[in-house]
Amino acid sequence: MYFRLLIFFQEIGNPKGEVVLSFHGGPGGRSKVSHAEYYNLKKQRVILFDQRGSGKSKATDIINLNDTKRLIKDAKRLLEYLGINEPISVGGGSWGSTLALLFAIKYPKLVKNLYLSSVFLARREDMEWMLRDSGLF
């Protein structure tokens, strides 16, 4: 079986600055240039990317071969592609905060800082709030 995956990414800020890998929200969201505005672009090199099956990233099978473990591995492979192997900062909001935390757990020696907002832990109660309870308001 042949599987093709193309990850869209862009870098914003200081090319020689502290590296920040930014996970977007979703699932199914996409990276936006405005996500980089949370960082100090004079001092940081922000890497934005569209996760597998989202935004401008392309995959031949976004249903069967799209899970959290693969999203984390894709992020690591992107860093390898860019030649980044020193400790970096990792950030994200909402679903992106979940992925940032999971990335830090999987690759603790690669992460020196976490920038998290609108933290979403994907627990049962979080899912119930998102899918049912928030509709009450």
Side-chain angles (χ1 to χ4, degrees):
M1 181 174 153
Y2 176 73
F3 177 75
R4 183 174 174 183
L5 174 65
L6 298 171
I7 297 292
F8 170 82
F9 73 94
Q10 55 187 320
E11 298 181 75
I12 301 172
N14 183 344
K16 297 181 190 252
E18 169 200 4
V19 175
V20 178
L21 180 66
S22 179
F23 287 90
H24 64 74
R30 64 181 177 88
S31 63
K32 301 174 187 170
V33 173
S34 62
H35 294 157
E37 295 171 2
Y38 295 108
Y39 306 102
N40 184 337
L41 299 180
K42 291 182 181 178
K43 295 183 178 181
Q44 294 175 309
R45 171 186 173 191
V46 180
I47 301 167
L48 304 171
F49 70 102
D50 291 347
Q51 298 154 20
R52 177 186 295 233
S54 298
K56 294 180 182 176
S57 288
K58 305 293 180 205
T60 54
D61 188 346
I62 64 168
I63 303 299
N64 296 316
L65 298 175
N66 192 354
D67 57 37
T68 306
K69 288 180 182 180
R70 286 184 173 95
L71 296 176
I72 299 304
K73 188 171 184 176
D74 291 345
K76 175 71 163 73
R77 290 174 60 203
L78 175 59
L79 293 175
E80 291 169 355
Y81 173 80
L82 295 171
I84 298 169
N85 51 29
E86 74 274 359
I88 63 167
S89 295
V90 179
S94 189
W95 171 244
S97 71
T98 305
L99 294 176
L101 287 166
L102 291 171
F103 185 89
I105 290 167
K106 177 75 175 172
Y107 304 108
K109 293 182 180 179
L110 190 55
V111 177
K112 66 179 177 181
N113 296 309
L114 285 168
Y115 301 120
L116 307 176
S117 65
S118 304
V119 176
F120 181 77
L121 299 177
R123 301 169 300 181
R124 176 183 298 272
E125 58 265 34
D126 300 322
M127 298 299 289
E128 288 173 359
W129 169 258
M130 180 184 71
L131 297 173
R132 184 190 69 213
D133 299 339
S134 65
L136 298 173
F137 299 95

